[in-house]
Amino acid sequence: MKGKKSVCVDLDGVLARYDGWQGIEIIGDPIPNAKEFMEVLYEKYYVIIHTTRAETKEGCQIVHRWLHKHKIHHDKIVGKPIAIAYIDDRALLHPTNNESYISLYDAVNILDVRK
């Protein structure tokens, strides 16, 4: 992590398809271009996967296995509380189209240089 700034990335709906809660072990297939996006992000940033699935040790292990299976680079997995919304001054909403990862990466870089 030395010298790298952190970027948190959600799992469901950003990296994995999400069709509503179906259980802790049911994680959707990777969204197209998610793996490539994470590879680029991982080169420059310390990447933290934050997901409500990782609120328990079992859930964290399930997420780790899914990321490993799909060869998605990351540095750390952390839990986050279940909420209907997350309000943050550095939040970026993941667009739903496949080309969105390019603009999302650009937005991360803009926030990185913002004072």
Side-chain angles (χ1 to χ4, degrees):
M1 178 177 164
K2 188 176 180 182
K4 287 186 171 184
K5 294 180 182 178
S6 297
V7 174
C8 291
V9 180
D10 192 13
L11 177 68
D12 294 306
V14 176
L15 301 178
R17 294 194 185 281
Y18 184 69
D19 297 317
W21 184 253
Q22 299 175 29
I24 190 75
E25 294 194 25
I26 308 298
I27 302 175
D29 291 333
I31 293 173
N33 299 318
K35 180 182 177 202
E36 293 79 6
F37 167 70
M38 291 297 285
E39 287 173 0
V40 172
L41 201 64
Y42 184 78
E43 287 178 17
K44 185 173 180 180
Y45 299 101
Y46 183 83
V47 180
I48 302 168
I49 305 299
H50 71 132
T51 174
T52 57
R53 291 179 186 274
E55 280 292 298
T56 66
K57 184 177 179 181
E58 175 194 14
C60 195
Q61 291 169 343
I62 290 167
V63 170
H64 177 75
R65 284 194 301 269
W66 186 92
L67 292 165
H68 182 74
K69 174 183 175 183
H70 297 289
K71 297 179 174 73
I72 294 179
H73 296 297
H74 65 286
D75 293 294
K76 186 176 184 178
I77 301 168
V78 298
K80 72 177 182 181
I82 297 172
I84 60 166
Y86 301 92
I87 301 168
D88 192 295
D89 65 332
R90 296 203 176 245
L92 299 172
L93 181 61
H94 177 267
T96 56
N97 62 51
N98 293 341
E99 292 77 32
S100 64
Y101 288 105
I102 294 168
S103 60
L104 194 58
Y105 182 76
D106 290 342
V108 168
N109 285 317
I110 288 168
L111 286 175
D112 187 10
V113 297
R114 196 172 85 177
K115 303 249 183 235

